[in-house]
Every structure is written in C-alpha cells, then in structure tokens.
C-alpha cells in the first residue's frame, strides 16, 4: 500500500473504500466479497511485477531442481546488484519524469577514473572518491543542461552518453585497465559471513533508504510533485530546478557507485563495460511499476523489477535460449509492461 | 509580432538559416585547411555517396519528427535489413531485398500500432522495438558478419551514373519525392498538422492517428531501404551497422530545421543536415583527427543542437503559439471553415 501514488486517483480511493468493511446498513456479505475481489484485482494490476516474479519463479522451479534454492536466489541477486544500484538512481529520476541514458557509459567511466588514479599512484579511498565525483559531475552536467534548456532529457543524456564514452575511449585508448590495489577487490567480491555479498547489501540498503527518503522527507515528496505537475510545484514554492539537478546528480552518484562495484568485481574496467545498462535500468524501474511519466512508484518496486530481469535471465539460460535472444525477450517484456501500464491507466 | 526582443529575433533567424550558415562555414574551413584533397572531384563523389544512405534514413526520421514522434529503431532496422539482404541472397536477390523491405514495413507498423493503439510515447515504444529488432539481428547473424554473394547486387551501391554515384541518384529521387509529398500534397500538409497541433488537426477533421501510423511505417521503410543500399555498398552486413544512425539522423534533421517538439522540418533541410555532419567527419578525417575525438565532437554537436532547438521552442515558439491561439479565436468568431478533408 505504501507504494501508491501520493495523490490517489478517484478510483483508487473508491476501490479501497469498497474494500473496507461495508457500511453500517449495507451489511450484505456479497458486497464485501465483491469489494474484496475488486481490491484484489486492483492489487493485481498494481503489482504486476510481483505476479510476474512469482510466475517466473514457478517456471524456473519446473526447469531445474536447484533453481529455488536460497543459494541460487542469492546468486541472482548478486548478479543483478550492479544493475539494481543504477536502477535505484534511475527510479529517483523517473519519479520526476526524467531519464538518464548516460548511465551505461558513466558506470565504466567511474571505474576508469578510479583505476586510472590507482595506476597513477593514488590511494584506495581517494581513487574511489574520484570515481564517484566524476560520475556525479556527469549527472550534474546532465541536470544543468536539461534544466537550462528544458530539452528532452532523453536526447541530452543520449548525447552525454556518447560524450562520456568518447572521453573514456580517449583516456584508455580503448584498452582494458586493471586495478592495482588488491584491497579494492573487497568491495565487489567481499561477503558478510560468506553469504551476503557487500554489493547485494549495498543495493538493498540503498533501495530501502531511498524509499524512506522518497516517502518520508520533504525533498522526497518534491520529487513526486515534479513528476506530477511541475508548474504546480513551482507555484507552491518548490525549487523545481534545484530538485531536478539534484535528482540527476543522485542518478550520477548511483551510476558511479555501481561502476566502482563492477570494476572491483572484475578487477578491471573498459570503456564499453556496461553496454545496455541504460535500457536495462529503465526496464527494471518500469517493470517494478514506476510510471514512465513520473509522479508514482518507488525504489522497493524497483527491487522487484530488477529481480524479475535477473530471474528472467536465469530462467532463459536454464531453458537453453540463445544468449542474443535475451534482447528480444527483454524488449518484448518492456513493451508489454508499458502497454499494460497505459491500458490500465486508461481504464481508470 | 512587433514585440519580439532582439535575442528572440536572432534565435528565429538563426534557427531558420543555421544549416546553410553551418554548411558554408564548414566548407570554407575545410577548403582552407586542406585545399587539394577536400575540393577534389574524388572526395566530393565520396561524400555524395556516403551521405546517400544516411539521408534516406533521415527522410523517414523526418516524417516521424514532423508527425510529432521520434523513431529510435531506425538503426536496428537498418542493420536487420542489411543482414536479411545478405543472408537471404541464396534465395535470389529480389527475395532478399523484398524480405528486408517488408521487415522494415512490419517494424514501422509495429511502432505505429504501439504509438496509436497502445498509446505509448513514441520514444519509449521505439526504444522497445529497437531492442527487439537488435536482438533479432544478433540472433539471426550469430554476431558474425555476412558476406555478399552477388556481384550484380554489389554494383548498385558501388556503381555510378556518369560522375554521380548510383546511391546518390536514388537519394535525389527520394528527395524529390519527399519534397513533393510533404509540401504539395494533402498527405504532407496533414502530416504537419497532425504533428504541429494534434488537437487542432483533430478538430479540423484530420485523422491524426492514421498519419502518425503512416509516419512510422514510412520511417521503417526508409531505414530498411538505407540498410539494403548500405549492404550493397559494403557487400556485407555487420552487427555494427546502424549503431550511431538514430542519433545521427535525429541531429541532422534538427539541424535542418525539424524539431523534437512540433511539426516542423523539410526534406531539403534534413538532407543538408546530413550533408553538414558528413562534411564535418569527412573534413576531420582528412585533417587526421582521431576517431574518438570525432565522436566527442559529434556528441557535443548533438547536445548543442537539441538544446538550441528546445530553447528556441520554449521561448519564441511559445509566444508564437499564444499569438496563433488569439488568431484562432478571431477566426472562430468569423466562423470560416478553414480546412476540408
């Protein structure tokens, strides 16, 4: 319930009213049952990703005995955690009705800055900080350009994506760079008690933290206002531009964090290291149920969306689907989910 | 409109004529920087051949931009068309080309249905189909380049009519077709109407959705045609084809006067936009500028072009819109039926 739009649309509230215990005189059980059914229907359309996940889990358990073991599920979480961290930042942006396509190149770029500094003799912490700052700088740049020109964020960040890629290629001369500080590996490969990877913990922790931030703090609320009605936000005193720039910068930050984890996991980085992550992160967010048009959703939903993508991948590998066909599956799922989202919204 | 500030008027003039200024500027710069090579007949032929493929794809994108949408799937469609053209040559060139073009039409129709029936925003819908077609292309080719088998087919992309390369001839024919289609037919005018102000167009009796649908179909077809010709030119298909195409053609169209945000743009402008971007990379090649720097420069140009377009629209255009709304009200008072179709 906590994941609902902050300004409930009429039918949402009516659904919950009907679902609530029937009125004093209405006492008929039929009405209550109908209301309950309606509410279930509402939740079903609201929680499509959860249903999809359960379905995929069922399919996976049919395909293989080892699929539904905690170990495999943790492995899936580990595999998607980098994407998940990016998706958390992307969620914050999508809530405001913006996108960041540059993440797919910012992720390796943060690694390149970090490893480059290590090669040049920098320390562990300073190199990691530099990587994060570089990523945040790109986010800031995206935000400033979008705010100043009111241009389509999609194309602007597509442009910065190419720009960052070019800069990364120039810096690395299109070679793979290897990290030089052994302790750097801990970030991507270390675990709590040999069970829970740090990266998974960071992903889930960040998702919970950001969800709390979105729901319970003024700034979090502003983000929804931006997505719902920017003009109304401006008129009621929200510093619209500043909030938007901060959202872009935060998205850059998560991309940088993901980049550091990915680099540390592979112990290396190259300019094209995260190709497709732009699209994947947006799919994950939308799969989770955050609207493409802003104003709704949250990061806990994104966790489910990311898990669906991970499980889908795992199931397809188990089913022996050729690797390249996964693009088709992801594209189809994406189109279907967006279409269903539109369909149900029109229905309301 | 006497109250426009100087800056706004300057924006207006620049936005109308930038492409010509940019083109002349580029030609002068490179003609001075490398006079022997840049203006040689061989190089001019080279550029003319090179732009043909992109211009053809740009026409499709232009129609999409005019009808208020954007098609991001052009690159994947182009690559898939090239792969089909090369891969199916065993069944005869005609079959292969036919299959490739049909594929383009199907992708376009799919996009069109998603946008008009599914009510999905164009760039999200085409982003989805871009991935689907890209995946199909990777699966079909197995990530390997496909060489061509037909000498005859390769001669289409590499041949010349007198001094003019054959692809350029095809491109010029299409340029004429699109110019006439957009400027002198009801179809074209309704395209602009559907994109410029969908609500007004609907009230005037234009079936907006139908025009948006056909815009996507045309875009798919043009992308596929471009892919077929490019495959013929290289006599092979690789998975790297079309990776930059969507951004490249969108930037070119916007440079040529089209807009992401309203039904504007001309076929000649789009062709000039592609020409300018191609001359830029050609000149940078001649000057020996490294590929990655070229990439960075192109990215900056894209950002700049999109930003200027948005800025122009958000300042000048808003004022124009207000003015035209007042005009519309006056017209309403006179109650003259303006358009019959």
């Amino acid at each position: 319930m906590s994941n609902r739009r902050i300004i409930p649309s009429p039918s949402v509230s009516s659904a919950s009213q009907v679902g609530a215990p029937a009125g004093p005189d209405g006492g008929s059980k039929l009405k209550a049952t109908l209301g309950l059914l309606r509410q279930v229907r509402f939740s079903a359309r609201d929680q499509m990703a959860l249903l999809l996940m359960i379905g995929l889990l069922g399919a996976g358990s049919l395909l293989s005995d080892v699929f539904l073991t905690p170990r495999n599920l943790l492995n899936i979480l580990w595999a998607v955690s980098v994407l998940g961290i990016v998706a958390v930042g992307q969620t914050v942006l999508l809530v405001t009705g913006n996108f960041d396509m540059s993440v797919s190149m910012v992720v390796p770029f943060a690694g390149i800055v970090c490893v480059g500094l290590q090669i040049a003799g920098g320390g562990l912490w300073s190199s990691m900080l530099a990587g994060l700052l570089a990523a945040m700088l790109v986010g800031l740049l995206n935000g400033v350009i979008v705010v100043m020109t009111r241009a389509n964020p999609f194309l602007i960040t597509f442009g910065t994506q190419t720009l960052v890629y070019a800069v990364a290629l120039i810096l690395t001369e299109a070679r793979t760079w290897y990290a030089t500080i052994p302790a750097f590996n801990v970030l991507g490969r270390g675990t709590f008690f040999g069970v829970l990877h740090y990266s998974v913990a960071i992903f889930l922790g960040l998702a919970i933290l950001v969800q709390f931030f979105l729901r319970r703090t003024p700034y979090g609320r502003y983000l929804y206002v931006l997505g719902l009605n920017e003009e109304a936000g401006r008129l009621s005193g929200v510093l619209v531009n500043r909030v938007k720039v901060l959202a872009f910068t935060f998205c850059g930050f998560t991309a940088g964090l993901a980049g550091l984890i990915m680099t540390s996991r592979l112990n290396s980085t190259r300019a094209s290291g995260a190709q497709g992550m732009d699209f994947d992160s947006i799919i994950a967010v939308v799969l989770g149920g955050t609207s493409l048009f802003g104003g709704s959703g949250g990061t806990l939903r994104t966790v489910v969306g990311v898990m669906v993508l991970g499980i889908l991948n795992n199931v397809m590998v188990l089913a022996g689907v050729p690797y390249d066909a996964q693009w088709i599956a992801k594209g189809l799922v994406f189109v279907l989910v967006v279409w269903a989202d539109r369909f149900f919204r029109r229905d309301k | 409109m006497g109250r426009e500030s100087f800056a706004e008027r300057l924006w207006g003039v620049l936005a109308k004529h930038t492409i010509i200024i940019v083109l002349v500027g580029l030609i002068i710069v490179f003609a001075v920087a490398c006079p022997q090579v840049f203006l040689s007949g061989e190089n001019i032929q080279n550029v003319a051949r090179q732009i043909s493929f992109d211009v053809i794809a740009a026409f499709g994108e232009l129609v999409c931009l005019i009808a208020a949408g954007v098609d991001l799937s052009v690159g994947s469609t182009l690559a898939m068309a090239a792969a089909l053209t090369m891969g199916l040559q065993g069944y005869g060139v005609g079959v292969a080309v036919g299959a490739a073009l049909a594929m383009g039409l199907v992708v376009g129709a799919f996009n069109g249905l998603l946008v008009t029936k599914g009510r999905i925003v164009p760039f999200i819908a085409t982003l989805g189909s871009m991935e689907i077609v890209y995946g199909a292309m990777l699966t079909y080719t197995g990530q390997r380049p496909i060489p061509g088998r037909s000498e005859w087919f390769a001669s289409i992309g590499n041949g010349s009519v007198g001094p003019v390369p054959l692809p350029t001839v095809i491109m010029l024919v299409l340029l004429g077709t699109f110019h006439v289609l957009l400027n002198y037919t009801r179809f074209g005018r309704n395209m602009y109407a559907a994109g410029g102000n969908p609500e007004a167009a609907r009230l005037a009796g234009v079936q907006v959705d139908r025009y948006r649908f056909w815009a996507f179909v045309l875009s798919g077809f043009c992308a596929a045609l471009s892919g077929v010709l490019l495959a013929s030119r290289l006599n092979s298909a690789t998975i790297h084809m079309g990776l930059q195409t969507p951004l490249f053609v969108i930037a070119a169209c916007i440079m040529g006067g089209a807009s992401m945000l309203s039904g504007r743009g001309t076929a000649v402008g789009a062709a000039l936009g592609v020409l300018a971007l191609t001359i830029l990379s050609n000149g940078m090649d001649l000057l020996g500028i490294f590929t990655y720097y070229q990439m960075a420069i192109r990215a900056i140009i894209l950002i700049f072009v999109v930003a200027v377009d948005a800025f122009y629209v958000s300042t000048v255009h808003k004022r124009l819109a207000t003015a035209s709304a007042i005009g519309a009200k006056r017209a309403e008072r006179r109650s003259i039926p303006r358009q019959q179709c």
Side-chain angles (χ1 to χ4, degrees), chain A residues 194-213:
Chain A
V195 183
L196 187 67
H197 277 91
Y198 289 154
S199 54
V200 177
I202 293 175
F203 165 41
L204 296 178
L206 196 67
I208 293 169
L209 208 70
V210 174
Q211 176 81 17
F212 177 80
F213 170 79

Side-chain angles (χ1 to χ4, degrees), chain A residues 99 149-152 154-155 158-160 163 165-166 169-170 174 279 292-293 324-325 327-328 331-332 335 338-339 342, chain B residues 72 114 118-121 123-124 127 131-132 135-136 138-139 143 247 260 292-293 295-296 299 302-303 307 310 318:
Chain A
F99 304 84
T149 62
R150 296 201 207 155
N152 183 333
F154 184 80
L155 277 182
F158 227 169
T160 47
L163 184 61
Y165 183 46
L169 282 172
I170 292 167
F279 186 63
L292 272 168
F293 307 99
D324 292 325
W327 289 85
I328 308 179
L332 280 177
V335 168
V338 175
W339 177 78
R342 292 300 291 166
Chain B
L72 295 172
L114 285 181
R119 297 268 146 229
I120 303 178
V121 204
F123 79 81
I124 291 298
L127 191 64
E131 298 300 303
I132 296 171
L138 288 183
T139 315
Q143 302 218 17
L247 281 189
M260 288 290 297
Y292 304 146
Y293 287 94
M295 208 164 156
L302 173 79
I303 296 173
K318 202 182 269 175

